[in-house]
Amino acid sequence: MDTERPDEPRYRVVVGSFGDGDRGYRLVWLRGVGWEPVAEKDLERRVREVFPDIDLSDPEQVHWVGEDEAWPAAPRPEDEA
């Protein structure tokens, strides 16, 4: 059985997609913490909890997967019905 962990990304933060039906969230990887779903309004707060000194606009520290800094649309009330 292979127990070797894959290499971690070189970035401190990776903002990934949540796939179809993401409901306004993206999966965010934080070095030393792992992956977690984060809403757009919570991204900066959550990242700064782990990395208080991070420059969120530095592409060497924060990597966006897919469309740069694009967030899925939040669900509309009529979509919930």
Side-chain angles (χ1 to χ4, degrees):
M1 179 171 160
D2 186 8
T3 58
E4 188 174 322
R5 290 184 69 171
D7 292 337
E8 290 189 341
R10 69 174 202 218
Y11 310 100
R12 296 169 89 184
V13 176
V14 175
V15 182
S17 71
F18 208 76
D20 294 336
D22 47 42
R23 310 306 258 172
Y25 289 84
R26 291 186 74 153
L27 280 178
V28 176
W29 179 84
L30 303 164
R31 183 183 292 156
V33 176
W35 290 99
E36 56 188 70
V38 178
E40 180 177 13
K41 67 180 179 64
D42 298 325
L43 178 66
E44 183 172 359
R45 178 194 54 78
R46 179 62 183 124
V47 170
R48 290 200 185 281
E49 285 176 357
V50 179
F51 304 112
D53 64 336
I54 196 167
D55 178 355
L56 291 166
S57 63
D58 181 356
E60 292 297 315
Q61 296 183 60
V62 180
H63 176 70
W64 289 77
V65 176
E67 297 179 46
D68 286 343
E69 302 184 33
W71 284 81
R76 297 175 306 195
E78 59 269 21
D79 293 339
E80 298 292 319

